[in-house]
Amino acid sequence: MSKVPQRPELNALFNMPPQDAIDYLQAKGFKIGWDWHETLNEAHSRAFTVAKVARIDLLQDIKKSLIDAMQQGQGLEQWKANITPTLQKTGWWGKQTVINPAGMEQTVQLGSPRRLKTIFDTNMHKSLAAGRYKAMMATVETRPIWVWVHISISNPRKIHLARNGEARRYDDPFWLYAYPPTEWGCKCKVVARRESDVADQNLTLIQTQPKDIEHHQVIVGKSSFTGQDVVSMQTRIRIKQQDGSESFFSPAPGFNSHPASSYLLDAELSKRAVDLVGVDKGTQQIQQVLLSRPRLKAHEAFIKNSLSDTPIQNKTSTVAVMHATDIEFMATQKQAFENPIISLGDQLFLDKRSILSDAEWVDFPRLIAQSWRVLWDQANSQLLYWLPTIESHSANQVVQVAVQSKNGVMQIVDVAVVERSATVDRLNANTYLAIR
């Protein structure tokens, strides 16, 4: 049996089997990042990354050491003792003058006891929070009320302490942006309760409306090798208490990468829907959620944020769910994917912005839900969705959305205007197969 870490703040999170947390960390890919701000936001939910680690093999070593620590119940000091010789042997230690991604010499701090503590705490707390999130999602029928629990060893953050005991439904929009940890060193957690516990335990039940959530850009620092301002998106949530008073809560810039970020929330909801009522009805339920007013508003905010004068944030918006027929076809092609939801990344959106009008991009979830033809591109292993006729294109043209599994995640990889006649030729040549 695995030992339980002896650090009090980790004991508070380790009151559940850590396998879900281990699975979360194991499932991450790898991302090379130089400055700390390149290793945040939603990309961090899917990728393991450490600032200024420019070698995949070293990232692999660090990630494996953290998984081992979690499996064996190691604390910070034991993990540091195990990983430090590896880092020193590879030269990733101390202050060094190196060549940065801009090709310039730069003196940087690589490995150090302080940096190792940050790496350990950040990855442990996020992975454990993800495991807790998954476990709570499995019990929402009986425990749909989620309660913020403040945990602090010393010097509590007053704004986090103020959240202690606040209860919200599991599907409250608040959790999309503020599922702890919500900043460096945050050790708060969420616990699930029954609906009857609201009255029995005198819980403060709060409901968040979409209009209570605002997004704005903030400068979080400067690039260490270009000197340019680094901009990140920050979320500001209005919290209305039952007595009529109001306050605001903002996760730290970059902390939109928690387990309840859009992709992971939708992935878990879709899995649960399919498990409960089957593929056909489950995907229909998710489609209804994606076309609900709050979700369409969230997508609209994604589009507007992406259009603003700000660097790419590596954000995604869930815009569609695969039809049951598409899922069955993918199985015949032995195509592996985690779940049927389809996401659109801000980078692709900006690259393909001119294909549709801004209004059509805002309406994109409805458009792709109305796709009237779905094909399979055998050469590129892609699903091809044909959107409803767009007035700005000729009668022989169609807007085609290509969707592909990337590390198990169904992503839109291209949006293009194609000639119908060319598609007919590919169908006749069996380059394309008709799905529906």
Side-chain angles (χ1 to χ4, degrees):
M1 179 179 293
S2 298
K3 299 177 183 178
V4 176
Q6 296 306 306
R7 295 176 68 201
E9 70 273 23
L10 290 187
N11 283 337
L13 290 171
F14 252 107
N15 57 2
M16 52 162 279
Q19 190 58 50
D20 284 335
I22 294 168
D23 291 344
Y24 175 80
L25 187 53
Q26 284 179 326
K28 286 188 174 185
F30 296 94
K31 181 183 187 307
I32 298 294
W34 188 253
D35 281 335
W36 68 270
H37 55 80
E38 297 178 284
T39 66
L40 296 175
N41 290 319
E42 281 149 3
H44 200 273
S45 290
R46 303 187 198 177
F48 179 80
T49 181
V50 176
K52 295 181 177 62
V53 174
R55 290 170 44 183
I56 290 295
D57 61 338
L58 186 53
L59 278 178
Q60 290 172 329
D61 287 341
I62 298 172
K63 176 183 170 182
K64 183 179 184 302
S65 72
L66 288 166
I67 292 172
D68 289 344
M70 197 175 292
Q71 290 174 328
Q72 298 167 21
Q74 295 177 4
L76 171 63
E77 296 305 321
Q78 188 176 355
W79 174 76
K80 283 198 305 184
N82 291 336
I83 192 63
T84 297
T86 299
L87 301 178
Q88 292 174 335
K89 183 178 179 180
T90 59
W92 197 80
W93 195 259
K95 280 193 175 182
Q96 294 191 33
T97 299
V98 298
I99 303 299
N100 66 28
M104 302 160 49
E105 282 193 351
Q106 181 182 350
T107 300
V108 297
Q109 176 67 56
L110 299 179
S112 69
R114 183 178 178 180
R115 285 212 65 192
L116 292 187
K117 182 179 186 303
T118 299
I119 292 168
F120 184 85
D121 283 352
T122 299
N123 284 281
M124 283 294 187
H125 284 292
K126 287 194 174 186
S127 297
L128 291 167
R132 178 179 291 281
Y133 176 81
K134 182 178 179 182
M136 291 195 307
M137 283 298 298
T139 64
V140 294
E141 276 77 24
T142 57
R143 294 176 176 265
I145 305 301
W146 289 5
V147 182
W148 183 295
V149 176
H150 177 262
I151 297 173
S152 178
I153 307 305
S154 61
N155 300 320
R157 295 177 176 90
K158 291 183 179 180
I159 194 167
H160 287 217
L161 187 58
R163 307 280 73 79
N164 189 54
E166 287 183 349
R168 296 170 175 83
R169 281 186 54 84
Y170 75 95
D171 53 0
D172 189 286
F174 177 88
W175 302 119
L176 286 171
Y177 304 98
Y179 186 101
T182 59
E183 61 180 288
W184 299 113
C186 172
K187 300 174 180 66
C188 299
K189 67 174 183 178
V190 181
V191 297
R193 293 286 183 258
R194 299 179 177 86
E195 283 189 306
S196 59
D197 290 338
V198 174
D200 294 345
Q201 300 182 17
N202 196 28
L203 298 174
T204 302
L205 189 61
I206 295 175
Q207 184 176 6
T208 309
Q209 300 295 334
K211 65 181 180 181
D212 296 328
I213 299 174
E214 302 173 350
H215 308 279
H216 60 279
Q217 298 168 26
V218 295
I219 297 175
V220 296
K222 292 184 179 294
S223 169
S224 64
F225 55 92
T226 67
Q228 295 180 331
D229 288 339
V230 175
V231 178
S232 181
M233 197 65 64
Q234 187 170 34
T235 302
R236 185 171 184 257
I237 307 171
R238 177 184 290 105
I239 298 174
K240 298 179 180 179
Q241 302 291 351
Q242 292 178 334
D243 63 4
S245 63
E246 292 185 358
S247 60
F248 293 88
F249 183 78
S250 293
F255 271 75
N256 284 336
S257 60
H258 50 72
S261 63
S262 177
Y263 169 76
L264 289 174
L265 175 66
D266 294 335
E268 191 63 30
L269 287 176
S270 66
K271 181 180 183 302
R272 293 191 65 260
V274 169
D275 289 347
L276 285 172
V277 296
V279 174
D280 195 6
K281 290 184 178 179
T283 54
Q284 289 177 29
Q285 286 185 7
I286 296 300
Q287 185 68 76
Q288 291 173 1
V289 170
L290 295 180
L291 296 181
S292 66
R293 186 176 181 277
R295 291 309 302 266
L296 291 176
K297 282 291 184 182
H299 175 73
E300 181 180 0
F302 164 81
I303 296 296
K304 290 181 177 178
N305 289 337
S306 300
L307 289 173
S308 62
D309 185 20
T310 181
I312 295 296
Q313 298 287 306
N314 292 316
K315 290 184 177 292
T316 61
S317 176
T318 301
V319 294
V321 61
M322 294 164 59
H323 190 276
T325 304
D326 309 340
I327 295 172
E328 292 169 3
F329 180 87
M330 290 282 281
T332 67
Q333 299 297 309
K334 295 181 171 56
Q335 292 291 312
F337 55 94
E338 295 173 357
N339 56 76
I341 66 169
I342 298 172
S343 63
L344 170 68
D346 54 5
Q347 175 67 69
L348 179 78
F349 161 67
L350 291 175
D351 290 344
K352 299 295 181 177
R353 177 184 173 184
S354 61
I355 302 296
L356 301 172
S357 68
D358 289 355
E360 288 165 341
W361 280 113
V362 169
D363 202 36
F364 194 75
R366 285 199 188 97
L367 292 176
I368 196 168
Q370 297 169 11
S371 297
W372 58 279
R373 177 65 56 84
V374 180
L375 308 171
W376 175 248
D377 179 350
Q378 297 202 84
N380 297 302
S381 297
Q382 295 176 349
L383 291 168
L384 305 177
Y385 291 84
W386 282 11
L387 301 188
T389 301
I390 306 298
E391 293 182 1
S392 58
H393 301 126
S394 70
N396 191 44
Q397 293 178 323
V398 66
V399 176
Q400 179 173 279
V401 177
V403 177
Q404 190 171 39
S405 174
K406 295 287 188 180
N407 297 320
V409 177
M410 298 303 292
Q411 301 179 31
I412 296 177
V413 295
D414 191 29
V415 181
V417 178
V418 300
E419 302 293 328
R420 296 191 195 189
S421 56
T423 300
V424 171
D425 293 340
R426 291 187 176 94
L427 283 167
N428 290 334
N430 284 329
T431 304
Y432 288 174
L433 300 178
I435 301 176
R436 55 183 173 93

